[in-house]
Amino acid sequence: MTGTSTIAVHADRDVHPSRAVARPIYQTATFGAEDGEQFAQVAVERRGHDFYTRYGNPNHAQVAAVVAELENAEAAMVTASGMAALTTAVLALVSAGDHVIGQKSTYGGTASVLMNLLPRLGVETTLVDQTDLEAFEKALTPRTRLILVESPSNPLLQITDLRAVADLARAHDVLTLADNTFASPVNQQPIAFGIDLVWHSATKYLNGHTDVSAGVLAGSAEHLDRIWDVGVLTGAVLGPIDAWLLLRGLRTLPLRMERHNANGLALAGVLNDHSAITHAHYPGLATHPQRGLAGSQMSGFGGVLALELAGGFEAADAFLGRLRYSRRSASLGGVESLAVHPASMWRGMLSDEQIAASGVPLGLVRLAAGTEDTADLVADVLNALEVVR
Ligand SMILES: *Cc1c(COP(=O)(O)O)cnc(C)c1O
């Protein structure tokens, strides 16, 4: 089997080949055809790359070739953001009167699609505890069409049993769509466990340099054709330059993930034993309640960890203020370390009651370790914790 670093560098070799070693940027909104026959052919080609850029562009197709092979999928497609990938897929796969199951612990945008957007379109949804397999089974109805999973989940790093949920769904003729953003295809390939479709915020690890918003979907050609049909209508098209930047980021994904994994594990280990921390959530820690399951479906655990500070809201805020390398910023997966304190981020958006109902403790901090040297990141968090002792 070809290794992931080789795939990341070479999987797009036959897609729109040219003699240029680095891929050219096809900064064009449309393409000319040789003759009427060719024009008629490219106009109906699904996931093509040289008809009209909203329908596809060589820079999209090259990214898709790399992502498909990294995810062990037949095909992939590119969208303008992670949320565009999710909403396009959901609009393609469900209709009014259908039922969708999602997780209680999930990315905020996904939660809002499940709680607001889908119900408004006449799609019923049920949110379940992802750690409870029976909850998925109990939530199934004869009208269930789709199960959305996310593992590890944001922000508490809870794990979903991908194989078990895929088996359950398949037995009931229900599709599964997994958010693989936190793991990346280097650490986890949901399709290998029977999941039908995978999506990513490519804004995070896949691009890895905090300079592009993008999304991807991977799965069977048949499913992706259905989604692509809706994608050309929603028009959430990634610009060619951003697709080119995403491809350049993907080239080093496996290399970067090695460091993200090492930094995440080192920080989680040091912080788990620290007196100012009551709880460190990281799937690679022996103390994580689902460590066994995580190890059975992941080959590394990523750079994201969540910490509960003993001193609550004030301690979390002070800790962030003292970090030198981790900037206070709402993202993850880039070369730079970033940190967020959800309770202070939500202060302007939610009431105290809503924050309490979210299940996210007031003293919780999410750290996203970048690719800096491990020793520097460890020294930085230990130094910052001195203020909250
Ligand atoms: C950021 C993120 C998203 C949303 O992706 P965008 O690229 O911001 O649209 C979805 N899921 C997870 C887990 C994320 O971290």
Side-chain angles (χ1 to χ4, degrees):
M1 247 187 52
T2 316
T4 50
S5 286
T6 308
I7 291 170
V9 176
H10 292 291
D12 59 310
R13 187 178 273 199
D14 299 331
V15 181
H16 223 89
S18 91
R19 293 183 52 242
V21 172
R23 295 323 202 121
I25 302 171
Y26 294 85
Q27 189 65 23
T28 179
T30 195
F31 297 82
E34 300 294 338
D35 51 36
E37 200 184 322
Q38 191 194 26
F39 195 60
Q41 192 196 324
V42 294
V44 295
E45 190 188 354
R46 281 164 157 161
R47 293 179 292 105
H49 52 81
D50 49 8
F51 169 59
Y52 182 70
T53 285
R54 174 160 52 81
Y55 285 59
N57 175 290
N59 297 111
H60 299 160
Q62 288 156 358
V63 168
V66 173
V67 169
E69 201 162 331
L70 286 174
E71 284 290 359
N72 235 318
E74 191 182 0
M77 63 178 264
V78 181
T79 56
S81 65
M83 288 313 297
L86 176 68
T87 52
T88 307
V90 163
L91 287 176
L93 300 174
V94 300
S95 303
D98 289 346
H99 174 246
V100 174
I101 300 172
Q103 295 178 181
K104 282 182 183 157
S105 172
T106 196
Y107 178 72
T110 308
S112 197
V113 166
L114 285 161
M115 293 190 297
N116 305 315
L117 183 68
L118 287 177
R120 202 153 58 66
L121 300 177
V123 177
E124 211 187 305
T125 60
T126 307
L127 304 190
V128 301
D129 173 355
Q130 79 201 85
T131 65
D132 178 4
L133 197 56
E134 272 177 35
F136 283 95
E137 191 160 7
K138 277 200 207 118
L140 282 168
T141 79
R143 290 179 295 110
T144 309
R145 290 282 167 274
L146 181 66
I147 302 180
L148 300 182
V149 292
E150 180 181 321
S151 183
S153 67
N154 182 51
L156 287 171
L157 289 306
Q158 289 176 312
I159 306 296
T160 308
D161 188 333
L162 297 175
R163 195 189 298 274
V165 172
D167 286 348
L168 175 73
R170 205 145 279 195
H172 292 84
D173 214 12
V174 170
L175 287 176
T176 44
L177 172 57
D179 184 341
N180 203 27
T181 302
F182 269 39
S184 91
V186 174
N187 288 333
Q188 173 173 280
Q189 296 172 319
I191 288 171
F193 302 114
I195 295 288
D196 294 302
L197 287 151
V198 166
W199 69 287
H200 282 268
S201 169
T203 313
K204 315 292 167 56
Y205 287 119
L206 300 188
N207 178 62
H209 294 74
T210 327
D211 49 13
V212 165
S213 278
V216 296
L217 280 150
S220 72
E222 186 198 334
H223 289 139
L224 283 186
D225 284 350
R226 277 172 71 190
I227 297 169
W228 181 87
D229 284 343
V230 173
V232 298
L233 303 180
T234 54
V237 55
L238 188 65
I241 291 180
D242 284 353
W244 185 90
L245 282 166
L246 174 53
L247 185 67
R248 115 110 63 149
L250 279 167
R251 300 294 192 215
T252 56
L253 173 70
L255 273 174
R256 288 185 281 104
M257 288 315 299
E258 275 180 33
R259 180 62 68 83
H260 286 297
N261 288 343
N263 283 347
L265 193 60
L267 286 173
V270 166
L271 294 169
N272 202 31
D273 295 334
H274 197 283
S275 59
I277 307 281
T278 54
H279 222 102
H281 302 264
Y282 185 73
L285 282 179
T287 51
H288 190 288
Q290 297 172 290
R291 173 66 181 79
L293 175 61
S296 74
Q297 59 189 31
M298 304 178 79
S299 57
F301 304 101
V304 182
L305 53 146
L307 310 171
E308 285 176 46
L309 275 83
F313 188 101
E314 275 72 32
D317 195 53
F319 171 64
L320 254 67
R322 273 289 289 267
L323 287 168
R324 173 160 181 217
Y325 296 122
S326 301
R327 291 183 70 171
R328 204 187 280 259
S329 176
S331 193
L332 61 104
V335 292
E336 318 78 359
S337 289
L338 301 176
V340 248
H341 177 210
S344 58
M345 179 174 74
W346 290 336
R347 245 184 324 203
M349 319 177 198
L350 304 177
S351 66
D352 288 352
E353 294 74 44
Q354 283 172 313
I355 293 176
S358 72
V360 173
L362 293 179
L364 188 97
V365 167
R366 188 186 77 191
L367 275 185
T371 58
E372 300 93 337
D373 289 288
T374 309
D376 291 332
L377 293 185
V378 168
D380 191 27
V381 293
L382 291 178
N383 177 59
L385 283 175
E386 288 298 315
V387 282
V388 299
R389 242 186 224 288

